Amino acid sequence: MEESNLEAAAEFDKNGDHEQALVYYMKALEERKAALGEKHPDVAALYATTGRVLNDQGSYDMAVSYYEKALEIRRAVYKAYYPQTAAVCETIGSILGGKGAYDEALAYYENSIDASERAYGKYHPSLIALHEKIEKILTAKGDEENARAHHERAHKLEMIRRGLDVPDEVMERMMQQMQEERERFALLQETKEPAVSHLIYNNCKIKLTEKTTIGRDSDNDVIIDDKFVSRHHCIIQKIKYAYFLKDTDSTNGTFLNGGCIPQDKYVRLNHGDTIRLGPCTTLEIR
């Protein structure tokens, strides 16, 4: 029943009928809570989806309340500093900033920066947009000194992203990660053929290449026409004689066999695995 409600909601959502989409999302949410309990991460994902539709509809206060419920669950499940916690804080900050609730927005943006730094490190490119958003709010409040500080921080991070400024600690960490990756992939058993070679989506069999990109944008190898799928959602990478799945900073996460995979790790795929993107899109590994 939940699946049919989600399919109906997604169809209304795709057509811009927010009112009808909300009816079915809320039905699906109640069914998911009854099946999985109030504190399950999949319940959090549906709270966030419903919050997005409420925001699109212009019901900003309700949208914030649904996002806050998603945030509460994710903090309880993943502790305070899981990457998706940072994403929800940023979204709430954006809604509140749009309403002119600057002080509340700043608090959520600061929480998002804190979470992102703990999850990714203090030089991650995702922090650029956060500092720019804080700069705009501080400028609107007339706090030019602090606005300038965030502008300078965003500029420095942009230089680091372009490779024009690489701090010593970042270079050291990069070298360490490269060594860890070499050691991990060296353990792969070399076989004549990979254990998996195809992706099944929408009844189509797609041959995996060295790197298969999946997302909503037209430049992906596998294009998913689904609002809940990010523009560049995830990749399947061939490394030696095996295939690995990696989330590419998607909004709603990438799930392998029902579990959300970490955004900064490659997870090995096996024959028969199921990948889920958003509430409705499912792909199979063969």
Side-chain angles (χ1 to χ4, degrees):
M1 186 66 178
E2 178 195 330
E3 185 175 348
S4 62
N5 282 328
L6 284 174
E7 289 175 354
E11 187 62 29
F12 283 119
D13 199 0
K14 182 179 178 180
N15 294 329
D17 190 340
H18 303 308
E19 185 175 349
Q20 285 299 312
L22 280 172
V23 170
Y24 285 97
Y25 278 132
M26 289 181 176
K27 286 181 180 179
L29 178 59
E30 292 306 313
E31 290 165 353
R32 186 170 291 185
K33 287 194 293 184
L36 302 177
E38 291 276 352
K39 302 301 182 182
H40 196 280
D42 284 357
V43 173
L46 200 44
Y47 267 124
T49 297
T50 307
R52 178 189 58 75
V53 179
L54 285 163
N55 185 47
D56 290 344
Q57 191 186 43
S59 302
Y60 303 122
D61 290 337
M62 285 187 66
V64 168
S65 71
Y66 273 79
Y67 275 117
E68 286 178 335
K69 289 176 182 176
L71 181 61
E72 179 185 353
I73 296 170
R74 286 177 175 170
R75 279 179 168 161
V77 173
Y78 302 115
K79 309 308 178 188
Y81 301 112
Y82 189 72
Q84 290 190 16
T85 301
V88 177
C89 284
E90 182 177 358
T91 300
I92 296 173
S94 295
I95 297 172
L96 291 170
K99 289 177 56 185
Y102 295 140
D103 291 336
E104 294 175 71
L106 285 171
Y108 276 103
Y109 281 142
E110 294 290 354
N111 284 336
S112 185
I113 285 179
D114 188 27
S116 295
E117 287 184 346
R118 291 175 184 259
Y120 301 123
K122 60 183 179 180
Y123 300 110
H124 195 271
S126 64
L127 295 165
I128 297 172
L130 282 165
H131 284 290
E132 290 174 343
K133 289 177 180 180
I134 291 176
E135 178 196 351
K136 289 181 181 178
I137 288 181
L138 289 170
T139 299
K141 285 170 58 67
D143 189 347
E144 295 294 339
E145 182 178 354
N146 284 318
R148 190 179 309 111
H150 282 278
H151 173 80
E152 291 171 357
R153 183 61 180 168
H155 177 71
K156 181 175 179 62
L157 290 170
E158 178 62 22
M159 293 299 100
I160 292 172
R161 185 187 71 82
R162 295 182 183 182
L164 302 177
D165 180 2
V166 182
D168 291 341
E169 60 186 280
V170 173
M171 182 61 71
E172 183 179 343
R173 187 165 63 249
M174 287 170 60
M175 296 300 292
Q176 181 182 355
Q177 288 175 346
M178 288 173 63
Q179 180 61 29
E180 289 174 354
E181 294 296 305
R182 281 197 295 267
E183 292 173 356
R184 180 147 53 93
F185 297 138
L187 297 176
L188 293 176
Q189 181 180 2
E190 295 192 2
T191 57
K192 291 184 178 180
E193 295 294 337
V196 298
S197 59
H198 288 84
L199 183 70
I200 307 298
Y201 169 60
N202 206 17
N203 295 321
C204 294
K205 189 175 183 180
I206 303 163
K207 185 172 179 58
L208 295 172
T209 60
E210 291 292 322
K211 180 179 179 181
T212 303
T213 61
I214 303 170
R216 200 172 68 245
D217 273 6
S218 60
D219 60 352
N220 287 285
D221 299 310
V222 181
I223 302 169
I224 309 292
D225 185 15
D226 185 339
K227 261 192 173 182
F228 309 113
V229 174
S230 296
R231 293 192 299 272
H232 298 94
H233 199 104
C234 62
I235 62 170
I236 297 176
Q237 179 78 52
K238 185 179 180 183
I239 303 171
K240 285 199 171 181
Y241 297 92
Y243 285 95
F244 290 78
L245 176 67
K246 185 177 185 295
D247 184 276
T248 49
D249 291 332
S250 69
T251 300
N252 292 314
T254 301
F255 294 80
L256 180 63
N257 300 325
C260 186
I261 68 171
Q263 289 188 319
D264 58 345
K265 299 292 183 183
Y266 285 90
V267 180
R268 187 172 182 174
L269 293 170
N270 296 296
H271 190 276
D273 282 348
T274 299
I275 301 170
R276 178 164 61 79
L277 316 177
C280 298
T281 298
T282 301
L283 308 95
E284 295 181 5
I285 297 296
R286 290 288 184 266

